[in-house]
Amino acid sequence: MPHLAALYRTAKFLVRNPVEAEDLVQDVYVEALKSFHRFQPGTNCKAWLFSILFHRFHHLRRRLLKSSLEEPLPEQDGVAAEPPVPQEIKDEEILAALDKVPLAFREVVVMADVEEFSYKEIAATLKLPLGTVMSRLSRGRKLLREKLAEVAKSYGIGISAKDAAEGGSA
């Protein structure tokens, strides 16, 4: 099963649930087997599988959105305790910052910077013009930098001496 680890990693990032990610990847391979006659030999198999992954993910999102509109979401009571401040930025915080980037930009950033697809492969996979991929990647990276700067600032990293003297507030 080629590219299983990369597909699972991306699916887990998209759905934020390991069990749902496994189901999503399984759906990708089932769909790939069903539509293997449409695969063009000599093309990028990984890009083709990722194309199926994003198609299945968007289908899942539409289905979940439709069901959430039909049923009210359960209320969540209580306030979470604030975790202690770590000494360095963790992977989870990077992923949380990436999660705050709008999906259209996040998809392109993940494909380019995590999965190392070329711009052309991303464009083909997501069925977008090349210029759109480039602008979304640029904007997505900028938004991610801004979100990570907020995290760093909360640790006192990258603040000016004036801000530090005022207690870190701007």
Side-chain angles (χ1 to χ4, degrees), residues 104-124:
F105 301 121
R106 187 171 59 227
E107 289 175 339
V108 176
V109 169
V110 168
M111 291 185 76
D113 296 337
V114 177
E115 298 303 331
E116 299 179 348
F117 281 104
S118 70
Y119 293 175
K120 288 171 101 176
E121 291 169 332
I122 296 169

Side-chain angles (χ1 to χ4, degrees), residues 42-55:
T43 60
N44 186 336
C45 179
K46 183 178 178 183
W48 181 65
L49 290 170
F50 267 80
S51 178
I52 295 171
L53 173 71
F54 281 102
H55 172 75

Side-chain angles (χ1 to χ4, degrees), residues 3-31:
H3 313 296
L4 177 65
L7 285 166
Y8 176 71
R9 180 177 52 247
T10 302
K12 194 165 110 176
F13 176 75
L14 291 171
V15 297
R16 298 285 186 218
N17 180 319
V19 174
E20 287 182 27
E22 289 174 4
D23 291 345
L24 183 58
V25 170
Q26 183 178 3
D27 289 347
V28 168
Y29 280 104
V30 168
E31 184 70 27

Side-chain angles (χ1 to χ4, degrees), residues 14-103:
L14 291 171
V15 297
R16 298 285 186 218
N17 180 319
V19 174
E20 287 182 27
E22 289 174 4
D23 291 345
L24 183 58
V25 170
Q26 183 178 3
D27 289 347
V28 168
Y29 280 104
V30 168
E31 184 70 27
L33 286 173
K34 285 181 185 177
S35 61
F36 190 71
H37 63 281
R38 289 186 277 186
F39 177 71
Q40 298 173 354
T43 60
N44 186 336
C45 179
K46 183 178 178 183
W48 181 65
L49 290 170
F50 267 80
S51 178
I52 295 171
L53 173 71
F54 281 102
H55 172 75
R56 300 299 301 168
F57 170 67
H58 288 295
H59 177 73
L60 174 67
R61 280 188 53 226
R62 282 191 301 271
R63 190 177 63 206
L64 291 175
L65 181 62
K66 183 178 177 185
S67 69
S68 71
L69 292 175
E70 294 169 358
E71 299 175 15
L73 293 174
E75 294 288 325
Q76 292 186 358
D77 294 329
V79 177
E82 216 171 290
V85 177
Q87 297 302 312
E88 59 186 40
I89 297 175
K90 306 285 185 207
D91 290 345
E92 293 81 21
E93 293 167 319
I94 295 171
L95 291 174
L98 185 58
D99 200 31
K100 292 177 184 174
V101 174
L103 182 64

Side-chain angles (χ1 to χ4, degrees), residues 126-138:
L126 297 178
K127 296 178 178 66
L128 296 171
L130 189 59
T132 302
V133 168
M134 293 177 0
S135 68
R136 284 187 184 179
L137 182 58
S138 175

